[in-house]
Coordinates of all heavy atoms in Angstrom, one line a residue:
F13 N 16.1 16.8 -7.1 CA 15.1 15.7 -7.1 C 14.1 15.9 -5.9 O 14.6 16.2 -4.8 CB 15.8 14.4 -6.9 CG 15.0 13.2 -6.4 CD1 14.1 12.6 -7.3 CD2 15.1 12.8 -5.1 CE1 13.4 11.5 -6.8 CE2 14.4 11.7 -4.7 CZ 13.5 11.1 -5.5
S14 N 12.9 15.8 -6.2 CA 11.9 16.0 -5.2 C 10.7 15.0 -5.5 O 10.4 14.8 -6.6 CB 11.3 17.4 -5.2 OG 10.1 17.5 -4.4
F15 N 10.2 14.4 -4.4 CA 9.1 13.5 -4.6 C 7.9 14.3 -5.2 O 7.1 13.6 -5.9 CB 8.6 12.9 -3.2 CG 9.6 11.9 -2.7 CD1 10.2 12.1 -1.5 CD2 9.9 10.8 -3.5 CE1 11.1 11.1 -1.0 CE2 10.8 9.9 -3.0 CZ 11.4 10.0 -1.8
R16 N 7.8 15.6 -5.1 CA 6.7 16.3 -5.7 C 6.8 16.3 -7.2 O 5.8 16.6 -7.9 CB 6.7 17.8 -5.2 CG 6.4 17.9 -3.8 CD 6.3 19.3 -3.3 NE 6.4 19.4 -1.9 CZ 7.4 19.8 -1.2 NH1 8.5 20.3 -1.8 NH2 7.3 19.9 0.1
D17 N 7.9 15.9 -7.8 CA 8.0 15.8 -9.2 C 7.4 14.6 -9.8 O 7.3 14.4 -11.0 CB 9.5 15.9 -9.6 CG 10.2 17.2 -9.2 OD1 9.5 18.2 -9.1 OD2 11.4 17.1 -9.0
F18 N 7.0 13.6 -9.0 CA 6.5 12.4 -9.5 C 5.0 12.2 -9.2 O 4.5 12.7 -8.2 CB 7.3 11.2 -8.8 CG 8.7 11.2 -9.2 CD1 9.6 11.9 -8.3 CD2 9.2 10.6 -10.3 CE1 11.0 11.9 -8.7 CE2 10.5 10.6 -10.6 CZ 11.4 11.2 -9.8
E19 N 4.4 11.4 -10.0 CA 3.0 11.0 -9.8 C 3.2 9.5 -9.3 O 4.1 9.2 -8.6 CB 2.2 11.1 -11.1 CG 2.0 12.5 -11.5 CD 1.2 13.3 -10.6 OE1 0.3 12.8 -9.9 OE2 1.4 14.5 -10.5
D20 N 2.3 8.6 -9.7 CA 2.4 7.2 -9.3 C 3.5 6.6 -10.1 O 3.5 6.8 -11.3 CB 1.0 6.5 -9.5 CG -0.1 7.2 -8.7 OD1 0.2 7.9 -7.8 OD2 -1.3 6.9 -9.1
V21 N 4.3 5.8 -9.4 CA 5.4 5.1 -10.1 C 5.3 3.6 -9.8 O 5.2 3.2 -8.7 CB 6.8 5.7 -9.6 CG1 7.9 5.0 -10.3 CG2 6.8 7.2 -9.7
A22 N 5.3 2.8 -10.9 CA 5.2 1.4 -10.7 C 6.6 0.7 -10.9 O 7.3 1.0 -11.8 CB 4.2 0.8 -11.7
Y23 N 7.0 -0.1 -10.0 CA 8.2 -0.9 -10.1 C 7.8 -2.4 -10.0 O 7.6 -2.9 -8.9 CB 9.2 -0.6 -8.9 CG 9.6 0.9 -8.8 CD1 8.9 1.7 -8.0 CD2 10.6 1.3 -9.6 CE1 9.3 3.1 -7.9 CE2 11.0 2.7 -9.5 CZ 10.3 3.5 -8.7 OH 10.7 4.8 -8.6
S24 N 7.7 -3.1 -11.1 CA 7.4 -4.5 -11.1 C 6.1 -4.7 -10.4 O 5.0 -4.3 -10.8 CB 8.5 -5.3 -10.6 OG 8.2 -6.7 -10.7
H25 N 6.1 -5.3 -9.2 CA 4.9 -5.4 -8.4 C 4.7 -4.4 -7.4 O 3.8 -4.5 -6.6 CB 4.7 -6.7 -7.7 CG 5.5 -7.9 -7.9 ND1 6.6 -8.0 -8.6 CD2 5.2 -9.1 -7.4 CE1 7.0 -9.3 -8.5 NE2 6.2 -9.9 -7.8
V26 N 5.4 -3.3 -7.4 CA 5.3 -2.3 -6.3 C 4.9 -1.0 -7.0 O 5.5 -0.6 -8.0 CB 6.7 -2.1 -5.6 CG1 6.5 -1.0 -4.6 CG2 7.1 -3.4 -4.9
T27 N 3.9 -0.4 -6.4 CA 3.5 1.0 -6.9 C 3.7 1.9 -5.7 O 3.2 1.7 -4.6 CB 2.0 1.0 -7.3 OG1 1.8 0.1 -8.4 CG2 1.6 2.4 -7.7
V28 N 4.4 2.9 -6.0 CA 4.7 4.0 -5.0 C 3.7 5.1 -5.4 O 3.7 5.6 -6.5 CB 6.1 4.5 -5.1 CG1 6.3 5.6 -4.1 CG2 7.1 3.3 -4.8
V29 N 2.9 5.6 -4.4 CA 1.9 6.6 -4.7 C 2.3 7.9 -4.0 O 2.5 7.9 -2.8 CB 0.5 6.1 -4.2 CG1 -0.5 7.2 -4.5 CG2 0.1 4.8 -4.8
F30 N 2.5 8.9 -4.8 CA 2.8 10.3 -4.3 C 1.5 11.1 -4.4 O 1.0 11.2 -5.5 CB 3.9 10.9 -5.0 CG 5.2 10.2 -4.9 CD1 5.6 9.3 -6.0 CD2 6.0 10.3 -3.8 CE1 6.8 8.6 -5.9 CE2 7.2 9.6 -3.7 CZ 7.6 8.8 -4.8
V31 N 0.9 11.5 -3.3 CA -0.3 12.2 -3.3 C -0.1 13.7 -3.1 O 0.5 14.1 -2.1 CB -1.3 11.7 -2.2 CG1 -2.6 12.4 -2.2 CG2 -1.5 10.2 -2.5
K32 N -0.6 14.5 -4.0 CA -0.5 16.0 -3.9 C -1.8 16.4 -3.2 O -2.9 16.1 -3.7 CB -0.3 16.6 -5.2 CG 1.0 16.3 -5.9 CD 1.1 17.0 -7.2 CE 2.4 16.6 -7.8 NZ 2.6 17.2 -9.2
G33 N -1.7 17.1 -2.2 CA -2.9 17.6 -1.4 C -2.6 17.6 0.0 O -1.6 17.1 0.5
K34 N -3.5 18.1 0.8 CA -3.3 18.2 2.2 C -4.2 17.2 2.9 O -5.3 16.9 2.6 CB -3.6 19.6 2.7 CG -2.7 20.6 2.2 CD -3.0 22.0 2.8 CE -2.0 23.0 2.2 NZ -2.1 24.3 2.8
G35 N -3.6 16.6 4.0 CA -4.4 15.7 4.9 C -4.3 14.3 4.5 O -4.0 13.8 3.4
V36 N -4.5 13.5 5.6 CA -4.4 12.0 5.5 C -5.6 11.5 4.7 O -5.4 10.5 3.9 CB -4.5 11.4 6.9 CG1 -4.5 9.9 6.9 CG2 -3.2 11.9 7.7
V37 N -6.7 12.2 4.7 CA -7.9 11.7 4.0 C -7.6 11.7 2.5 O -8.0 10.7 1.8 CB -9.1 12.6 4.3 CG1 -10.3 12.2 3.5 CG2 -9.5 12.4 5.8
V38 N -6.9 12.6 2.0 CA -6.6 12.7 0.6 C -5.7 11.5 0.2 O -6.0 10.8 -0.8 CB -5.9 14.0 0.2 CG1 -5.4 14.0 -1.2 CG2 -6.8 15.2 0.4
S39 N -4.7 11.2 1.0 CA -3.9 10.0 0.8 C -4.6 8.7 0.9 O -4.5 7.8 0.0 CB -2.7 10.0 1.8 OG -1.9 11.1 1.7
D40 N -5.4 8.6 1.9 CA -6.2 7.3 2.1 C -7.2 7.1 0.9 O -7.3 6.0 0.4 CB -7.0 7.4 3.4 CG -6.1 7.2 4.6 OD1 -4.9 7.0 4.5 OD2 -6.6 7.3 5.7
N41 N -7.8 8.2 0.5 CA -8.8 8.0 -0.6 C -8.1 7.6 -1.9 O -8.6 6.8 -2.6 CB -9.5 9.4 -0.9 CG -10.5 9.7 0.2 OD1 -10.9 8.8 1.0 ND2 -10.9 10.9 0.3
R42 N -6.9 8.1 -2.1 CA -6.1 7.7 -3.3 C -5.7 6.2 -3.2 O -5.8 5.5 -4.2 CB -4.9 8.6 -3.5 CG -4.1 8.3 -4.7 CD -4.8 8.6 -6.0 NE -3.9 8.5 -7.1 CZ -4.3 8.0 -8.3 NH1 -5.6 7.7 -8.5 NH2 -3.4 7.9 -9.3
I43 N -5.3 5.8 -2.1 CA -4.9 4.4 -1.9 C -6.1 3.5 -2.1 O -6.0 2.5 -2.8 CB -4.3 4.2 -0.5 CG1 -2.9 4.9 -0.4 CG2 -4.1 2.7 -0.2 CD1 -2.4 5.0 1.0
V44 N -7.2 3.8 -1.5 CA -8.5 3.0 -1.7 C -8.8 3.0 -3.2 O -9.2 2.0 -3.8 CB -9.6 3.5 -0.8 CG1 -10.9 2.9 -1.2 CG2 -9.3 3.4 0.6
Q45 N -8.7 4.1 -3.9 CA -9.1 4.2 -5.3 C -8.2 3.3 -6.1 O -8.7 2.6 -7.0 CB -8.9 5.7 -5.8 CG -9.2 5.9 -7.2 CD -8.8 7.3 -7.7 OE1 -8.1 8.0 -7.0 NE2 -9.4 7.7 -8.8
L46 N -6.9 3.2 -5.8 CA -6.0 2.3 -6.6 C -6.0 0.9 -6.2 O -5.6 0.0 -7.0 CB -4.6 2.9 -6.4 CG -4.3 4.2 -7.0 CD1 -2.9 4.7 -6.6 CD2 -4.4 4.2 -8.5
A47 N -6.5 0.5 -5.0 CA -6.5 -0.8 -4.5 C -7.3 -1.8 -5.4 O -8.4 -1.4 -5.8 CB -7.0 -0.9 -3.1
Q48 N -6.7 -2.9 -5.7 CA -7.4 -4.0 -6.5 C -7.3 -5.3 -5.8 O -6.5 -5.5 -4.9 CB -6.7 -4.1 -7.8 CG -6.8 -2.8 -8.7 CD -6.1 -3.0 -10.0 OE1 -5.9 -4.1 -10.5 NE2 -5.7 -1.9 -10.6
V49 N -8.1 -6.2 -6.2 CA -8.1 -7.6 -5.7 C -6.6 -8.1 -5.8 O -6.0 -8.0 -6.8 CB -9.0 -8.5 -6.4 CG1 -8.9 -10.0 -6.0 CG2 -10.5 -8.0 -6.2
G50 N -6.2 -8.7 -4.6 CA -4.8 -9.3 -4.6 C -3.7 -8.3 -4.3 O -2.6 -8.8 -4.0
D51 N -4.0 -7.0 -4.2 CA -3.0 -6.1 -3.8 C -2.6 -6.2 -2.3 O -3.4 -6.7 -1.5 CB -3.4 -4.6 -4.1 CG -3.4 -4.2 -5.5 OD1 -2.9 -5.0 -6.3 OD2 -3.9 -3.1 -5.8
L52 N -1.4 -5.8 -2.0 CA -1.0 -5.7 -0.6 C -0.8 -4.3 -0.2 O -0.1 -3.5 -0.9 CB 0.4 -6.4 -0.5 CG 1.1 -6.3 0.9 CD1 0.3 -7.0 2.0 CD2 2.5 -7.0 0.8
V53 N -1.5 -3.9 0.9 CA -1.4 -2.5 1.4 C -0.8 -2.7 2.8 O -1.3 -3.4 3.7 CB -2.7 -1.8 1.4 CG1 -2.6 -0.5 2.1 CG2 -3.3 -1.7 0.0
I54 N 0.3 -2.0 3.1 CA 0.9 -2.0 4.4 C 0.5 -0.7 5.1 O 0.8 0.4 4.7 CB 2.5 -2.1 4.3 CG1 2.8 -3.4 3.6 CG2 3.1 -2.1 5.7 CD1 4.3 -3.6 3.2
T55 N -0.2 -0.9 6.2 CA -0.8 0.3 7.0 C -1.1 -0.1 8.4 O -1.4 -1.3 8.7 CB -2.0 0.8 6.3 OG1 -2.5 2.0 7.0 CG2 -3.2 -0.2 6.2
S56 N -1.0 0.8 9.3 CA -1.5 0.6 10.6 C -2.8 1.4 10.9 O -3.3 1.4 12.0 CB -0.4 1.2 11.6 OG 0.7 0.4 11.5
D57 N -3.4 1.9 9.8 CA -4.6 2.7 9.8 C -5.8 1.7 9.7 O -6.0 1.2 8.6 CB -4.6 3.7 8.7 CG -5.8 4.6 8.7 OD1 -6.9 4.1 8.9 OD2 -5.6 5.8 8.4
I58 N -6.5 1.4 10.7 CA -7.6 0.4 10.7 C -8.7 0.8 9.7 O -9.1 -0.1 8.9 CB -8.1 0.1 12.1 CG1 -7.0 -0.6 12.9 CG2 -9.3 -0.8 12.1 CD1 -7.3 -0.7 14.4
P59 N -9.2 2.0 9.7 CA -10.2 2.3 8.7 C -9.7 2.2 7.3 O -10.5 1.7 6.4 CB -10.6 3.8 9.0 CG -10.2 4.0 10.5 CD -9.0 3.1 10.7
L60 N -8.5 2.5 7.0 CA -7.9 2.3 5.6 C -7.8 0.8 5.3 O -8.2 0.4 4.2 CB -6.6 3.0 5.5 CG -5.8 2.7 4.2 CD1 -6.6 3.2 3.0 CD2 -4.4 3.4 4.3
A61 N -7.3 0.1 6.3 CA -7.3 -1.4 6.1 C -8.6 -2.0 5.8 O -8.8 -2.8 4.9 CB -6.7 -2.0 7.3
D62 N -9.6 -1.5 6.5 CA -11.0 -2.0 6.3 C -11.5 -1.7 4.9 O -12.0 -2.6 4.2 CB -12.0 -1.4 7.3 CG -13.4 -1.9 7.1 OD1 -13.6 -3.1 7.1 OD2 -14.3 -1.0 6.9
E63 N -11.2 -0.5 4.4 CA -11.6 -0.2 3.0 C -10.9 -1.0 1.9 O -11.6 -1.4 1.0 CB -11.4 1.3 2.8 CG -12.4 2.2 3.6 CD -12.3 3.6 3.2 OE1 -12.7 3.9 2.0 OE2 -11.9 4.5 4.0
V64 N -9.6 -1.2 2.1 CA -8.9 -1.9 1.0 C -9.3 -3.4 1.1 O -9.3 -4.1 0.0 CB -7.4 -1.7 1.0 CG1 -7.1 -0.2 0.7 CG2 -6.7 -2.2 2.3
I65 N -9.5 -3.9 2.3 CA -9.9 -5.3 2.4 C -11.3 -5.5 1.8 O -11.5 -6.5 1.1 CB -9.9 -5.8 3.9 CG1 -8.5 -5.9 4.4 CG2 -10.7 -7.1 4.1 CD1 -8.4 -6.0 5.9
T66 N -12.2 -4.6 1.9 CA -13.5 -4.6 1.3 C -13.4 -4.7 -0.2 O -14.2 -5.4 -0.9 CB -14.3 -3.4 1.7 OG1 -14.5 -3.4 3.1 CG2 -15.7 -3.4 1.0
K67 N -12.3 -4.1 -0.8 CA -12.1 -4.1 -2.2 C -11.3 -5.4 -2.7 O -11.1 -5.6 -3.8 CB -11.3 -2.9 -2.7 CG -12.1 -1.6 -2.6 CD -11.5 -0.5 -3.2 CE -11.4 -0.7 -4.7 NZ -10.8 0.5 -5.5
G68 N -10.9 -6.3 -1.7 CA -10.3 -7.5 -2.1 C -8.8 -7.5 -1.9 O -8.1 -8.4 -2.3
A69 N -8.2 -6.4 -1.4 CA -6.8 -6.3 -1.2 C -6.4 -6.9 0.2 O -7.3 -7.1 1.0 CB -6.3 -4.9 -1.2
L70 N -5.2 -7.2 0.4 CA -4.7 -7.7 1.7 C -4.1 -6.5 2.4 O -3.3 -5.7 1.8 CB -3.6 -8.8 1.5 CG -2.9 -9.3 2.8 CD1 -3.9 -10.0 3.7 CD2 -1.8 -10.2 2.4
A71 N -4.4 -6.3 3.7 CA -3.8 -5.2 4.5 C -3.0 -5.8 5.6 O -3.5 -6.6 6.4 CB -4.9 -4.3 5.0
L72 N -1.8 -5.4 5.7 CA -0.9 -5.8 6.8 C -0.4 -4.6 7.6 O -0.2 -3.6 7.1 CB 0.3 -6.6 6.2 CG 0.1 -7.9 5.6 CD1 1.5 -8.4 5.1 CD2 -0.5 -8.9 6.6
S73 N -0.2 -4.9 8.9 CA 0.4 -3.9 9.8 C 1.8 -4.4 10.2 O 2.0 -5.6 10.3 CB -0.5 -3.7 11.0 OG 0.2 -2.9 12.0
Q74 N 2.7 -3.5 10.4 CA 4.0 -3.9 10.9 C 4.1 -4.0 12.4 O 5.1 -4.3 13.0 CB 5.1 -2.9 10.5 CG 5.2 -2.8 9.0 CD 6.3 -1.8 8.6 OE1 7.4 -1.9 9.1 NE2 6.0 -0.8 7.8
A75 N 3.0 -3.9 13.1 CA 2.9 -3.9 14.6 C 3.6 -5.2 15.1 O 4.3 -5.2 16.1 CB 1.5 -3.7 15.1
D76 N 3.2 -6.4 14.6 CA 3.7 -7.7 15.0 C 4.7 -8.1 13.9 O 4.4 -8.6 12.9 CB 2.6 -8.7 15.2 CG 3.1 -10.1 15.6 OD1 4.4 -10.3 15.5 OD2 2.3 -10.9 16.0
R77 N 6.0 -7.8 14.2 CA 7.0 -8.0 13.1 C 7.1 -9.4 12.6 O 7.3 -9.7 11.5 CB 8.3 -7.4 13.6 CG 8.3 -5.9 13.7 CD 9.7 -5.4 13.9 NE 9.7 -4.0 14.0 CZ 9.8 -3.1 13.1 NH1 10.0 -3.5 11.8 NH2 9.8 -1.8 13.3
Q78 N 7.0 -10.4 13.5 CA 7.1 -11.8 13.1 C 5.9 -12.2 12.2 O 6.1 -12.8 11.2 CB 7.1 -12.7 14.3 CG 7.3 -14.2 14.0 CD 8.5 -14.5 13.2 OE1 9.6 -14.0 13.5 NE2 8.4 -15.3 12.1
Q79 N 4.7 -11.8 12.7 CA 3.5 -12.1 11.9 C 3.6 -11.4 10.5 O 3.2 -11.9 9.5 CB 2.2 -11.7 12.6 CG 0.9 -12.0 11.9 CD 0.7 -13.5 11.8 OE1 1.2 -14.3 12.5 NE2 -0.2 -13.8 10.8
F80 N 4.0 -10.1 10.6 CA 4.2 -9.3 9.3 C 5.1 -10.0 8.4 O 4.8 -10.2 7.2 CB 4.7 -7.9 9.7 CG 5.0 -7.1 8.5 CD1 4.0 -6.4 7.8 CD2 6.3 -6.9 8.0 CE1 4.3 -5.7 6.7 CE2 6.6 -6.2 6.9 CZ 5.6 -5.5 6.2
A81 N 6.3 -10.5 8.8 CA 7.3 -11.1 8.0 C 6.7 -12.4 7.4 O 6.9 -12.7 6.2 CB 8.5 -11.4 8.8
T82 N 6.0 -13.2 8.2 CA 5.4 -14.4 7.7 C 4.4 -14.2 6.6 O 4.4 -14.8 5.6 CB 4.7 -15.2 8.9 OG1 5.7 -15.5 9.9 CG2 4.1 -16.5 8.4
C83 N 3.5 -13.2 6.9 CA 2.4 -12.9 5.9 C 3.0 -12.3 4.6 O 2.6 -12.6 3.5 CB 1.4 -12.0 6.5 SG 0.4 -12.7 7.8
L84 N 4.0 -11.5 4.8 CA 4.6 -10.8 3.6 C 5.4 -11.9 2.8 O 5.2 -11.9 1.5 CB 5.6 -9.7 4.0 CG 6.3 -9.0 2.9 CD1 5.2 -8.3 2.0 CD2 7.2 -7.9 3.5
D85 N 6.1 -12.8 3.4 CA 6.7 -13.9 2.7 C 5.7 -14.7 1.9 O 5.9 -15.1 0.7 CB 7.5 -14.8 3.6 CG 8.8 -14.1 4.1 OD1 9.3 -13.1 3.5 OD2 9.4 -14.6 5.1
K86 N 4.6 -15.0 2.5 CA 3.6 -15.8 1.9 C 3.0 -15.1 0.7 O 2.8 -15.6 -0.4 CB 2.5 -16.2 2.9 CG 1.4 -17.1 2.3 CD 0.4 -17.5 3.3 CE -0.7 -18.4 2.7 NZ -1.7 -18.8 3.7
W87 N 2.7 -13.8 0.9 CA 2.1 -13.0 -0.2 C 3.1 -12.9 -1.4 O 2.7 -13.1 -2.5 CB 1.8 -11.6 0.3 CG 1.1 -10.8 -0.8 CD1 -0.3 -10.7 -1.0 CD2 1.7 -9.9 -1.7 NE1 -0.5 -9.9 -2.1 CE2 0.7 -9.4 -2.5 CE3 3.0 -9.5 -1.9 CZ2 0.9 -8.5 -3.5 CZ3 3.3 -8.6 -3.0 CH2 2.2 -8.1 -3.7
L88 N 4.4 -12.6 -1.1 CA 5.4 -12.5 -2.1 C 5.5 -13.8 -2.9 O 5.7 -13.8 -4.1 CB 6.7 -12.1 -1.5 CG 6.8 -10.6 -1.1 CD1 8.1 -10.4 -0.3 CD2 6.7 -9.7 -2.2
S89 N 5.5 -15.0 -2.2 CA 5.7 -16.3 -2.9 C 4.5 -16.6 -3.8 O 4.6 -17.2 -4.8 CB 5.9 -17.4 -1.9 OG 4.8 -17.6 -1.1
N90 N 3.3 -16.1 -3.4 CA 2.1 -16.3 -4.2 C 1.9 -15.3 -5.4 O 1.1 -15.5 -6.2 CB 0.8 -16.2 -3.4 CG 0.7 -17.4 -2.4 OD1 1.2 -18.5 -2.7 ND2 0.1 -17.2 -1.3
N91 N 2.7 -14.2 -5.4 CA 2.6 -13.2 -6.4 C 3.9 -12.9 -7.2 O 4.2 -11.8 -7.5 CB 2.2 -11.9 -5.7 CG 0.7 -12.0 -5.2 OD1 -0.2 -11.8 -5.9 ND2 0.6 -12.2 -3.9
K92 N 4.6 -14.0 -7.5 CA 5.8 -13.9 -8.3 C 5.5 -13.7 -9.7 O 4.5 -14.1 -10.3 CB 6.7 -15.1 -8.1 CG 7.3 -15.1 -6.8 CD 8.3 -16.3 -6.7 CE 8.9 -16.3 -5.3 NZ 9.8 -17.4 -5.1

């Protein structure tokens, strides 16, 4: 089993994205491409957060664990 064997995999409301290619820019571009209104993107990358927020997604960072948990709980309750 290798993550390289998979493309994008969706689990209910979770999409796991495996990006083939080199560099962070390739991964960030794919995340932005897939982001939709109402999606939740967990990232500490401010430029990536800005791009997905511009597309109508919510971007959260794990830096403040209490705030992260509160926002994540709210998002999950609104997206059942």
Side-chain angles (χ1 to χ4, degrees):
F13 160 76
S14 167
F15 288 122
R16 291 185 196 107
D17 297 333
F18 296 93
E19 294 296 326
D20 301 343
V21 181
Y23 301 97
S24 184
H25 341 16
V26 177
T27 299
V28 179
V29 180
F30 299 99
V31 179
K32 294 179 182 179
K34 295 185 179 182
V36 175
V37 174
V38 173
S39 300
D40 287 358
N41 288 343
R42 182 70 173 142
I43 293 166
V44 172
Q45 178 186 18
L46 293 172
Q48 297 178 21
V49 172
D51 283 352
L52 172 64
V53 177
I54 300 171
T55 182
S56 296
D57 183 323
I58 293 171
L60 173 60
D62 180 57
E63 289 189 64
V64 298
I65 289 169
T66 299
K67 290 189 70 176
L70 173 65
L72 289 180
S73 170
Q74 295 183 54
D76 179 345
R77 291 191 183 267
Q78 181 60 43
Q79 182 68 20
F80 174 80
T82 301
C83 291
L84 183 58
D85 287 343
K86 183 176 180 181
W87 184 87
L88 289 171
S89 68
N90 289 333
N91 289 283
K92 288 185 179 180

